Amino acid sequence: MKIVNNKIPSVDGVGIMKGRKAFTDDYADKDSLIIKVLRSPYPFARIKQIDDSKAKALDGIEMVLTYKDFKRIPFTRAGQGYPEPSPRDKFVLDEYVRYIGDEVCAVVGTSETICAKALDLITVEYEKLEPVLDFEKAIDNKSIIHDEPEAKQMFEIGFKPKKNIAASYKMHIGDVEISLSECKYTIRETFYTQAQAHVMLEPHAVNTHIDYQERLIIYSSTQTPFHIRRIISQALEIPLSKIRVIKPRVGGGFGGKQAIHGEMLAAYVTYKTGKPAKLVYTRREVFESSYSRHPMKFEMALGADENGKLKAIDCNVLSDTGAYGEHALTVFMVAGSKVLPLYNKVDSVRFYGDVVYTNHTPAGAYRGYGAIQGNYALESAVDILCHKMNMDPTEFRKKNMMKEGETSPIFAIMGEGTEGTPMNMDTCKLQECVERGMDLIDWKNKYPSKDLGDKIKAVGMAIAMQGSGIPLIDMGSATIKLNDDGFYNLMVGATEIGQGSDTALSQIAAEELMTTMDKVIIYSSDTDLTPFDVGAYASSTTFVSGNAVFKAARKLKETMIEEAARIFDVEVEKVTFDGKTFKVESSDKEISLVDFSNEITYSEAQKQLQVTSSYVGPKSPPPFMAGFIEIDIDKETAEIDIIDYVSVVDCGTTINPMLAKGQVDGAIVQGLGMAMFEDVKLAKNGKLISGDMLNYKIPTRLDINKLTTIFVDSYEESGPFGAKSVGEIGIDTPPAALANAIENALGVRMNSLPITPEKILQKLKENKK
Amino acid sequence: MKINIKINGQNKTFEVEPGEFMLDVLRRNNYLSVRRGCDNISCGVCTILLDNKPVPSCSLLAAKANNHEITTVEGIQVEAEKLAKCFGEFGADQCGFCNPSMALTVYSLKQENVNATEEEIKAYLVGNLCRCTGYVSQHQAIKKYLGDSNENS
Amino acid sequence: METNQFIEVNSLEEAYILASADRLNKVIGGGAWLKISLKKAKTLISLDKLNLDFIDSESSFIEIGAQATLREIETNKDIKKLSSGILNQAIGKIMGVTIRNLATIGGSVMGKFAFSDLYPVLLVMDVKLKFYKLGEISFADFVEMPRINDDILISIKINKNNSVGYFKKAAKTALDFAMINLAITKGDDFKIAIGSKPSIAKLNYEAMKYLNSKKDITEEVIEKTCALAIEEAKIKDNVRATKEYREVLIRSYLKRGIKQVIQ
């Protein structure tokens, strides 16, 4: 392979660095109306009255929007396919506000300053309601968060709003209670994970205008342009054909831009007024009024026999979806479906629980959703069991984990919001991942820990799996067009959000067309111009969209050869093409691609050669990895230095090894952030204290010493050029690996995230009592 | 009030509010490579050069820049392209929202300390956050850029 | 931010008259913290024209103009020679370089920010503040005084001495505010100051008095010093750390710091 599996620089790196107009707000009309949202100061309240007369009287205020301006059409912002596996429990604006930061009303004016003044002039009378701020007390709470009759599920997801349950789920294989009772070693532990924030550096942004065909044009910093178009059409009753969504460059998403944010209000304002409008979230709004990761509670039980064979896993989960049920069920299920199959040789498994509404900032999609929470719980529990059995955790894993060619019944039972799809692990290099990771971290010499005097050195590890798109649901497509002069346009619905998909997909096309990168011009994510794609989520782009590109390239190549045969007037089988020249077998007839493309454009039986292909995965081959952390921990203060993080990844072929490494490195550091720093602090009334970047701390470059990221040789037949996904897998292991290293260092088990030095000392103190 | 600024080598006059910050003035006047990330000096995305030194434009009062020089990435296009190529070589660019600010800060580092060690690079750039890359590839790219600059000087 | 006017004054007298005319007239430094600390002002008073961005090294002291940026101080070689360079070190831990290019020493001192990493260091060095009207006052006295709104800080003067110093900032990430910060100098005497506890830094007089009364600095003496310092520091909880954890940090780093400065 000349292009694929090579370190090709990104196709847009130079222009982006040079500051070319690229991001959503760069495209806003200079005369855009500014939209600002008045946000609820109360966690739960009914709006009795809004007095906006003074605001409306302000010079420069175009309109003030309240719930009375909108027809009551419930929708979900989740940004998923149709029908959505999330409850439709949201209105553009509502009479009820359900968390601090929820939308009360919106002002629309000619400048930020005027809008700010207008916000100050609006008085709202609230009927305060008793909020639900403890997710463990949400079910059957006196306060019902979604009592409105319109809220509904699109199909059975266990939606019981009267009980504050957004979704629930249960599955079992065998009887865990019996299996556990037969085990020599059992452990029962409870774990908690927090509401991590995405902190993509570009805040949510949208701008809208009406074009000269009187259509609504939406520029949005989104991961899901096609879903956005559908949801806006549904909720605002604008014909789908009247809406065009363009996704410019996106400044990071990580799942945070899968859902709808300001798009609904901006679309409405422009549709109503005919004027351009824009809404850019403040950083506080990004924290407080978008969404974060679902906090979860896990009650885990594991059982193993005297030989260290894992026999049973029991997992009861409670998930906090906050005020709205976006991704309630899907995230919940992934906490099982992308974690439990790691140990596929058990006799019995049970996974069950509820996703509850609370009056917190909603939860939603975030890179590695469900998987990171579930991985932390399961991989921590596994180490606890190992300690009890006095068994090296790497030995345990090698014995019990998934191996190539094997399967797990869970794949067939659990999908993402629906039933799953059975599949064998045609590629699974976990064994090699663990072994190479052990070498790279020097497990033999460093496990479990070493006394360094003032500090203790320790190592810890965890294994993980992810998916490659949602099988039989996620669809991607690609169009490739041959131009005169022999270069190609590649148009994809796939959504470049900074992860490098424009580059990786161009590489796939260039490889199959046997051309060079400069001959493939990519354009992505424009609902008018590019074919459909579900968007950038669920680790689907390389695998699903990549397969679509591969198919399109192959088909175009065949078409070109057919046309060349016609020009040569020979049978198709006689024509060969090497990317540059068409030749006729056993003859000296040949034509260069450049001449061919010019001829077919201008002179000889002219036609446009263009093909479109789509791909839906019949399966979702999981990437796997082993993560190893080395830490030095201060004996007195428990402050932690991360010395190294070793990631050994099986993601099939790396389409671009550099970009793949970037995905893993970045995800590891986000995972370390969740494991160590990203502390969500709430005031007693539910107000987010950590609602800005001065108070919510993501890892800085001084907090990261060394990342050792390598890929094992692996070739997944079903993937484009052997590739699986790599976008999410990296985020899963750090929390458990760190918790395991801390136990190896200090003999203390940290059961809640983030793991801070302060919490470690508190736990040590408790243990002494 | 009016302020006179030499921006990317050109003398310009801007009408500003007395309490307005430079970021807002620049974006309003189409200097779109200067971007808003956090709005309270926490992220580094809004970095510009004020008299050749990197500062956060979100917290620089526009009035204070009166009669001073400002440089955005448009003013250092050759250097930005060189750095971009180094970023490309190490896969250090992802979403790129922060990249123009990174270019300006790295360019300043080059002027102050072209022999910067990895630790010095980290310390100099710590205020420029990145949520995408995990930083390591950026440091390799920046070392390459500084090394190339050193060779050519 | 909301303000009616921005005035670049031509003299200290002009600044003084403006500042003392109205409590809502504010003298600004670099403006780095303006967004966080000030929502509204009638007049913003800029000292940029007054050439107060000097750093002068005299034979017995270094004088730093109020408008010198933190970055200029951090990279100053003469200042690096004082008390093992703890002022440079502490400044180096304040946010990123870009902010330190904007923030001035004057703004940082007058802001009286509880999280200040500068404060413990300025307390343990021999520092005087030079005001337009008040004249020279010691930094330690300034810390105890109510906030000064009308006078104009001209410069800070650091006396040169042969003390060795230690500074520690304990924070969650390299860009976070401190859970605690502390500084120690050992010249003729020990000086200890602890900040971000979470209230603003103060000298720990009791701990200093005890430590300075001992000829032999044993483990026991250090332990006792730490205990006294913790007692005196009036430590509390906030979102960054609990009282208990702050005590752990202070005990550990004070101990390490004292050991380091007596070596």
Side-chain angles (χ1 to χ4, degrees):
Chain A
M1 288 183 281
K2 284 186 176 145
I3 306 282
V4 158
N5 201 22
N6 279 277
K7 296 181 175 180
I8 305 282
S10 58
V11 294
D12 36 36
V14 172
I16 297 279
M17 181 75 85
K18 287 166 86 175
R20 306 282 187 214
K21 192 167 161 176
F23 295 88
T24 296
D25 197 42
D26 302 350
Y27 290 94
D29 193 296
K30 282 205 65 162
D31 298 321
S32 291
L33 289 170
I34 305 295
I35 305 169
K36 282 278 166 196
V37 179
L38 183 70
R39 299 198 175 272
S40 172
Y42 302 113
F44 194 22
R46 188 178 73 81
I47 298 168
K48 285 164 77 176
Q49 207 186 328
I50 299 178
D51 181 358
D52 56 9
S53 52
K54 281 184 194 154
K56 276 180 170 162
L58 264 187
D59 198 22
I61 289 296
E62 179 90 12
M63 62 208 298
V64 177
L65 296 172
T66 72
Y67 66 91
K68 289 181 181 158
D69 293 294
F70 295 92
K71 199 168 150 187
R72 279 182 76 74
I73 301 173
F75 65 97
T76 173
R77 294 178 298 189
Q80 298 163 308
Y82 177 87
E84 304 93 352
S86 297
R88 289 193 173 176
D89 56 6
K90 177 80 179 82
F91 303 91
V92 181
L93 292 172
D94 195 0
E95 188 183 352
Y96 286 83
V97 284
R98 297 184 176 82
Y99 67 97
I100 294 179
D102 205 351
E103 296 137 330
V104 177
C105 62
V107 298
V108 182
T110 50
S111 77
E112 295 265 344
T113 323
I114 287 160
C115 288
K117 272 189 196 148
L119 286 181
D120 281 346
L121 291 173
I122 294 173
T123 50
V124 185
E125 205 182 315
Y126 296 95
E127 178 194 346
K128 285 191 249 172
L129 302 168
E130 191 58 39
V132 179
L133 295 172
D134 179 348
F135 79 122
E136 296 188 59
K137 292 179 183 155
I139 294 176
D140 292 331
N141 197 293
K142 279 198 309 237
S143 281
I144 299 171
I145 294 167
H146 283 280
D147 212 7
E148 68 277 12
E150 299 92 340
K152 61 176 179 184
Q153 55 185 355
M154 300 299 285
F155 54 87
E156 185 54 49
I157 58 168
F159 177 59
K160 298 180 206 77
K162 302 282 178 213
K163 294 167 76 65
N164 284 332
I165 293 175
S168 51
Y169 178 79
K170 61 181 168 198
M171 64 74 78
H172 70 98
I173 296 164
D175 188 320
V176 265
E177 293 301 341
I178 293 177
S179 299
L180 283 167
S181 69
E182 290 167 358
C183 286
K184 180 165 182 200
Y185 301 101
T186 56
I187 62 119
R188 288 179 191 275
E189 290 281 335
T190 304
F191 301 93
Y192 288 89
T193 64
Q194 85 276 35
Q196 186 182 22
H198 307 78
V199 202
M200 69 298 269
L201 284 181
E202 181 203 23
H204 303 297
V206 58
N207 57 73
T208 45
H209 68 271
I210 304 280
D211 75 356
Y212 63 86
Q213 288 185 35
E214 292 291 313
R215 293 170 76 240
L216 174 63
I217 314 298
I218 302 172
Y219 279 91
S220 168
S221 177
T222 181
Q223 296 175 225
T224 56
F226 287 90
H227 294 338
I228 295 257
R229 181 178 65 170
R230 187 192 81 240
I231 297 164
I232 285 178
S233 165
Q234 176 235 325
L236 297 180
E237 297 186 309
I238 302 172
L240 204 61
S241 62
K242 285 275 186 194
I243 306 172
R244 175 182 180 186
V245 179
I246 300 168
K247 174 219 68 83
R249 185 72 177 186
V250 171
F254 317 119
K257 292 171 179 169
Q258 182 175 348
I260 282 203
H261 298 286
E263 289 87 350
M264 204 61 87
L265 284 170
Y268 181 83
V269 167
T270 292
Y271 199 64
K272 271 280 166 207
T273 63
K275 296 178 184 176
K278 73 172 196 173
L279 204 175
V280 180
Y281 273 28
T282 63
R283 184 51 67 178
R284 177 162 287 278
E285 285 178 308
V286 178
F287 276 105
E288 203 169 69
S289 305
S290 66
Y291 56 86
S292 39
R293 195 187 285 293
H294 288 80
M296 289 188 186
K297 176 191 182 188
F298 290 81
E299 289 175 305
M300 302 283 303
L302 300 183
D305 69 11
E306 61 282 6
N307 300 317
K309 183 175 182 302
L310 189 66
K311 305 292 274 184
I313 306 174
D314 191 19
C315 186
N316 179 10
V317 185
L318 185 69
S319 170
D320 179 357
T321 193
Y324 299 98
E326 287 135 18
H327 289 275
L329 179 65
T330 40
V331 173
F332 183 88
M333 288 183 75
V334 169
S337 66
K338 296 212 172 102
V339 178
L340 299 171
L342 281 169
Y343 300 100
N344 61 330
K345 295 174 229 350
V346 293
D347 295 340
S348 56
V349 186
R350 182 166 63 178
F351 179 84
Y352 63 110
D354 301 297
V355 188
V356 295
Y357 285 119
T358 63
N359 295 106
H360 292 142
T361 291
Y366 188 160
R367 190 185 217 171
Y369 75 36
I372 187 172
Q373 293 101 318
N375 194 282
Y376 166 62
L378 180 64
E379 286 295 89
S380 293
V382 162
D383 258 45
I384 295 169
L385 184 65
C386 291
H387 281 280
K388 196 163 184 181
M389 297 187 299
N390 205 16
M391 186 171 180
D392 184 314
T394 58
E395 278 310 304
F396 179 91
R397 287 179 175 86
K398 282 193 224 168
K399 194 181 182 107
N400 289 288
M401 70 195 181
M402 176 76 81
K403 293 186 178 64
E404 196 156 87
E406 294 179 353
T407 187
S408 159
I410 291 169
F411 292 129
I413 297 171
M414 296 177 80
E416 218 165 305
T418 57
E419 275 182 14
T421 313
M423 55 180 167
N424 284 327
M425 298 300 96
D426 297 330
T427 47
C428 173
K429 310 290 180 196
L430 256 182
Q431 189 81 15
E432 194 182 339
C433 292
V434 171
E435 277 163 9
R436 289 190 64 186
M438 288 172 72
D439 286 345
L440 286 165
I441 204 87
D442 194 13
W443 185 265
K444 282 198 181 105
N445 288 311
K446 289 177 188 160
Y447 173 79
S449 63
K450 264 189 167 168
D451 196 326
L452 304 176
D454 289 343
K455 292 182 179 184
I456 299 170
K457 178 179 289 302
V459 289
M461 62 87 66
I463 56 174
M465 60 177 284
Q466 198 67 43
S468 298
I470 308 171
L472 305 177
I473 290 179
D474 287 348
M475 189 267 270
S477 38
T479 299
I480 309 183
K481 178 175 81 160
L482 173 69
N483 297 292
D484 46 334
D485 207 31
F487 76 98
Y488 306 91
N489 286 115
L490 168 60
M491 284 149 297
V492 292
T495 315
E496 164 74 70
I497 55 168
Q499 83 282 46
S501 66
D502 279 355
T503 304
L505 296 177
S506 300
Q507 283 180 261
I508 291 170
E511 181 74 41
E512 184 56 22
L513 291 164
M514 298 172 288
T515 186
T516 47
M517 285 295 280
D518 58 317
K519 295 276 191 280
V520 178
I521 310 302
I522 189 163
Y523 181 71
S524 58
S525 308
D526 178 329
T527 56
D528 270 7
L529 301 183
T530 65
F532 183 88
D533 192 291
V534 289
Y537 60 84
S539 284
S540 58
T541 303
T542 301
F543 185 76
V544 176
S545 313
N547 262 321
V549 171
F550 177 78
K551 279 172 71 181
R554 176 151 289 187
K555 205 162 132 198
L556 178 64
K557 201 165 68 180
E558 287 165 10
T559 310
M560 283 163 29
I561 291 173
E562 280 165 23
E563 289 299 325
R566 197 173 52 80
I567 291 170
F568 290 134
D569 197 16
V570 298
E571 286 157 29
V572 170
E573 292 73 30
K574 295 228 164 108
V575 177
T576 60
F577 176 57
D578 65 359
K580 282 184 183 147
T581 313
F582 299 90
K583 287 181 182 162
V584 178
E585 249 174 48
S586 41
S587 119
D588 55 3
K589 276 191 192 170
E590 62 172 60
I591 183 169
S592 72
L593 175 62
V594 173
D595 291 344
F596 169 80
S597 63
N598 288 338
E599 251 179 54
I600 208 159
T601 308
Y602 293 112
S603 52
E604 170 98 19
Q606 296 93 315
K607 62 166 73 165
Q608 175 64 61
L609 297 188
Q610 167 169 310
V611 301
T612 296
S613 294
S614 307
Y615 183 82
V616 181
K619 63 172 193 171
S620 170
F624 294 92
M625 78 166 275
F628 293 77
I629 193 170
E630 178 183 337
I631 56 167
D632 286 354
I633 183 161
D634 191 293
K635 280 180 184 171
E636 284 179 351
T637 65
E639 288 167 291
I640 302 160
D641 297 327
I642 311 160
I643 304 301
D644 190 9
Y645 202 99
V646 171
S647 307
V648 188
V649 182
D650 163 16
C651 64
T653 302
T654 49
I655 298 294
N656 186 323
M658 240 166 27
L659 298 186
K661 182 176 175 298
Q663 285 300 299
V664 176
D665 283 2
I668 290 293
V669 172
Q670 274 180 21
L672 287 170
M674 173 150 167
M676 298 177 69
F677 307 121
E678 300 182 27
D679 212 348
V680 180
K681 299 270 191 188
L682 297 170
K684 271 195 188 135
N685 67 352
K687 168 102 180 150
L688 203 58
I689 297 169
S690 51
D692 62 34
M693 288 176 73
L694 284 173
N695 289 296
Y696 185 90
K697 304 316 286 189
I698 63 169
T700 75
R701 58 187 80 239
L702 280 170
D703 300 303
I704 303 301
N705 286 306
K706 191 179 169 201
L707 302 173
T708 307
T709 300
I710 64 158
F711 298 93
V712 296
D713 282 338
S714 171
Y715 191 93
E716 169 62 41
E717 283 294 339
S718 64
F721 296 106
K724 300 190 275 187
S725 82
V726 72
E728 297 182 277
I729 179 80
I731 204 168
D732 296 336
T733 57
L738 177 71
N740 294 341
I742 303 250
E743 173 148 27
N744 293 337
L746 302 170
V748 62
R749 174 51 57 175
M750 300 308 295
N751 288 30
S752 77
L753 298 177
I755 300 169
T756 62
E758 172 156 11
K759 279 159 80 179
I760 295 169
L761 292 186
Q762 279 164 358
K763 194 78 189 270
L764 276 170
K765 209 167 155 188
E766 278 168 34
N767 287 0
K768 270 185 198 156
K769 276 179 191 167
Chain B
M1 62 188 285
K2 280 196 165 44
I3 56 170
N4 298 309
I5 290 175
K6 191 172 184 184
I7 179 159
N8 300 328
Q10 279 188 305
N11 289 313
K12 295 239 169 151
T13 304
F14 298 122
E15 182 64 40
V16 305
E17 296 290 322
E20 208 173 5
F21 291 97
M22 206 62 221
L23 171 60
D24 303 292
V25 175
L26 289 172
R27 281 201 73 82
R28 196 173 64 230
N29 287 286
N30 259 339
Y31 292 91
L32 298 173
S33 67
V34 188
R35 303 195 176 105
R36 186 188 311 276
C38 72
D39 219 25
N40 59 6
I41 56 170
S42 305
C43 75
V45 166
C46 67
T47 302
I48 55 169
L49 303 186
L50 174 68
D51 299 334
N52 233 8
K53 289 193 179 110
V55 299
S57 65
C58 76
S59 295
L60 169 66
L61 277 170
K64 269 181 77 85
N66 192 16
N67 297 323
H68 288 268
E69 263 187 58
I70 279 179
T71 312
T72 68
V73 80
E74 283 79 4
I76 57 157
Q77 290 281 290
V78 175
E79 292 298 317
E81 182 154 346
K82 282 186 198 161
L83 182 64
K85 288 189 171 147
C86 295
F87 267 50
E89 210 174 303
F90 292 92
D93 41 2
Q94 287 194 32
C95 85
F97 193 66
C98 66
N99 281 10
S101 64
M102 202 76 78
L104 289 161
T105 316
V106 172
Y107 172 68
S108 300
L109 170 63
K110 187 184 98 172
Q111 289 178 313
E112 281 185 40
N113 182 7
V114 74
N115 296 311
T117 61
E118 178 155 345
E119 277 314 302
E120 286 168 336
I121 292 170
K122 282 175 162 188
Y124 198 89
L125 284 157
V126 69
N128 295 72
L129 288 175
C130 169
R131 188 65 154 168
C132 292
T133 61
Y135 301 115
V136 174
S137 55
Q138 287 187 349
H139 301 149
Q140 291 169 327
I142 293 165
K143 255 193 272 183
K144 173 87 186 337
Y145 165 79
L146 295 177
D148 290 351
S149 308
N150 218 354
E151 268 170 34
N152 298 335
S153 61
Chain C
M1 65 167 299
E2 264 192 80
T3 187
N4 300 338
Q5 55 179 349
F6 175 94
I7 295 182
E8 239 175 11
V9 294
N10 292 306
S11 68
L12 284 165
E13 179 63 18
E14 190 189 346
Y16 175 74
I17 290 168
L18 268 173
S20 47
D22 192 317
R23 286 183 69 85
L24 285 173
N25 291 351
K26 302 282 184 188
V27 177
I28 56 167
W33 302 106
L34 219 48
K35 270 204 164 146
I36 296 157
S37 55
L38 193 62
K39 271 210 156 161
K40 248 185 200 175
K42 275 191 186 159
T43 303
L44 295 177
I45 305 161
S46 165
L47 309 179
D48 285 357
K49 273 192 191 162
L50 304 185
N51 298 321
L52 293 178
D53 57 348
F54 59 87
I55 301 176
D56 292 337
S57 185
E58 308 293 338
S59 59
S60 64
F61 63 91
I62 294 177
E63 185 170 7
I64 306 169
Q67 291 291 96
T69 67
L70 295 185
R71 181 70 179 161
E72 284 160 354
I73 300 167
E74 178 193 358
T75 51
N76 184 284
K77 292 200 171 69
D78 294 314
I79 297 171
K80 220 170 253 176
K81 288 178 197 148
L82 303 180
S83 306
S84 319
I86 53 174
L87 185 55
N88 313 66
Q89 285 169 37
I91 289 173
K93 304 274 182 204
I94 297 170
M95 309 298 281
V97 166
T98 60
I99 285 111
R100 305 201 291 271
N101 276 328
L102 198 57
T104 60
I105 185 83
S108 305
V109 165
M110 295 302 282
K112 283 208 170 176
F113 302 112
F115 53 76
S116 172
D117 296 320
L118 270 177
Y119 265 55
V121 172
L122 294 179
L123 279 165
V124 297
M125 295 175 90
D126 190 356
V127 174
K128 286 198 170 68
L129 304 181
K130 193 163 130 194
F131 283 94
Y132 181 57
K133 288 284 162 183
L134 277 170
E136 287 192 7
I137 54 175
S138 83
F139 185 73
D141 289 345
F142 169 77
V143 172
E144 303 289 341
M145 287 164 67
R147 195 177 280 271
I148 297 172
N149 288 311
D150 48 2
D151 207 345
I152 314 295
L153 178 67
I154 298 169
S155 65
I156 81 164
K157 286 164 85 172
I158 308 175
N159 268 332
K160 292 181 175 175
N161 59 34
N162 294 323
S163 66
V164 289
Y166 172 87
F167 171 78
K168 175 69 193 181
K169 170 184 183 176
K172 279 182 185 147
T173 74
L175 279 183
D176 201 3
F177 294 127
M179 294 185 280
I180 61 110
N181 44 31
L182 61 85
I184 307 168
T185 47
K186 166 84 176 82
D188 296 338
D189 279 332
F190 286 97
K191 280 187 180 178
I192 298 169
I194 303 171
S196 292
K197 46 198 171 55
S199 56
I200 201 159
K202 295 274 169 77
L203 280 168
N204 288 80
Y205 292 104
E206 294 297 322
M208 282 156 50
K209 197 167 117 192
Y210 170 77
L211 188 59
N212 287 326
S213 72
K214 299 290 170 188
K215 269 195 188 137
D216 199 10
I217 310 299
T218 61
E219 284 283 341
E220 213 182 338
V221 169
I222 294 174
E223 289 289 341
K224 180 85 194 284
T225 306
C226 294
L228 284 168
I230 286 165
E231 197 180 327
E232 191 181 356
K234 298 204 181 91
I235 301 156
K236 291 203 169 78
D237 291 346
N238 75 346
V239 289
R240 287 197 160 61
T242 59
K243 176 176 187 286
E244 287 71 30
Y245 190 57
R246 285 199 159 93
E247 289 179 6
V248 170
L249 289 170
I250 292 171
R251 185 169 286 116
S252 299
Y253 288 111
L254 204 49
K255 192 170 70 184
R256 293 174 203 187
I258 294 171
K259 284 182 182 170
Q260 189 173 312
V261 295
I262 58 179
Q263 261 180 8

